[in-house]
Amino acid sequence: ETVMTQSPATLSVSPGERVTLSCRASPSVSSNLAWYQQKPGQAPRLLIYGASTRATGIPARFSGSGSGTEFTLTISSLQSEDFAVYFCQQYSNWPQTFGQGTKVEIK
Amino acid sequence: QLQLQESGPGLVKPSETLSLTCTVSGGSISISSYYWGWIRQPPEKGLEWIGGIYYTGSTYYNPSLKSRVTISVNTSKNQFSLRLSSVTAADTAVYYCARQSAAAGFVDYWGQGTLVTVS
């Protein structure tokens, strides 16, 4: 099973700051990676697929990069509505697997 | 706008079978470019893919759960269902139904989720 490791587990950030979240895959997943945002009591929301393609309606402040084993989700200027948990998912290898998540909290 | 809604018992006894149904509205379940999946999230933990089904009835299960899982589809009702047998406390989770890209696997639509407690 492909292991997805996200870091850090928690990130304390002030509004307006730039945020970088990491997701590492073992083994390689090519560019078959998605990012999701989950707020308390809500279902996850798709942000990025194909490692770098924004989903419909996702603001341009969200961007994804990477391929193979190292991936990054960047939020260029954190807004109040962005405080949430972020998960990565690989769909390259069977079975598809998710990371444990990074919680972005208010500093 | 596509909507998915889970339904089923919120409490299941150990060793019994968990049964959930997902009703899809605002679009047809009979689309070849997507499959319909179940994903769960234990309290305060990450997400686990359980399995998925195409409208044709072809199924795909996570090997870790395969011996206990059955997913079925009812295209006339625009629904698909999950059965998980021999449940234990470890199966306590929020269960989500989802639409997943057939070409890829990412989830573009999620149900709101339903908490199932095994006790």
Side-chain angles (χ1 to χ4, degrees):
Chain A
E1 179 172 294
T2 301
V3 177
M4 307 300 291
T5 304
Q6 291 188 243
S7 61
T10 303
L11 196 56
S12 298
V13 187
S14 300
E17 286 188 17
R18 181 182 180 89
V19 172
T20 301
L21 309 180
S22 174
C23 177
R24 178 172 295 178
S26 179
S28 170
V29 299
S30 187
S31 294
N32 298 310
L33 184 113
W35 288 95
Y36 301 89
Q37 176 193 69
Q38 186 178 34
K39 297 180 180 178
Q42 297 184 16
R45 176 176 71 144
L46 177 67
L47 298 175
I48 301 285
Y49 62 92
S52 61
T53 302
R54 273 191 303 277
T56 302
I58 301 304
R61 64 179 181 273
F62 291 93
S63 63
S65 64
S67 66
T69 62
E70 300 283 344
F71 299 88
T72 298
L73 175 69
T74 300
I75 309 172
S76 59
S77 177
L78 199 71
Q79 305 298 301
S80 57
E81 62 265 32
D82 300 336
F83 291 98
V85 178
Y86 293 84
F87 293 98
C88 59
Q89 175 212 17
Q90 70 81 18
Y91 45 86
S92 182
N93 305 325
W94 182 263
Q96 54 189 272
T97 50
F98 294 84
Q100 287 299 104
T102 291
K103 181 179 182 180
V104 177
E105 63 178 24
I106 300 175
K107 188 173 183 180
Chain B
Q1 177 77 350
L2 192 75
Q3 292 186 321
L4 291 78
Q5 179 68 58
E6 305 90 351
S7 59
L11 183 64
V12 181
K13 290 181 169 56
S15 80
E16 295 190 345
T17 296
L18 178 160
S19 295
L20 295 173
T21 295
C22 182
T23 300
V24 179
S25 59
S28 175
I29 203 170
S30 301
I31 302 176
S32 59
S33 49
Y34 298 98
Y35 63 93
W36 306 89
W38 289 97
I39 296 165
R40 69 180 183 179
Q41 185 173 33
E44 306 302 321
K45 293 188 178 179
L47 297 156
E48 180 181 33
W49 183 74
I50 300 169
I53 190 166
Y54 284 90
Y55 77 96
T56 57
S58 296
T59 53
Y60 303 87
Y61 301 136
N62 190 322
S64 67
L65 297 167
K66 186 175 182 178
S67 64
R68 299 194 291 131
V69 173
T70 303
I71 298 175
S72 58
V73 65
N74 185 330
T75 55
S76 64
K77 292 185 177 181
N78 232 31
Q79 294 177 332
F80 62 105
S81 299
L82 169 71
R83 288 173 58 85
L84 181 66
S85 64
S86 305
V87 297
T88 70
D91 295 310
T92 293
V94 175
Y95 285 76
Y96 295 100
C97 60
R99 189 179 84 166
Q100 301 191 248
S101 166
F106 58 84
V107 177
D108 61 353
Y109 283 94
W110 298 75
Q112 67 181 29
T114 187
L115 174 63
V116 179
T117 301
V118 179
S119 178

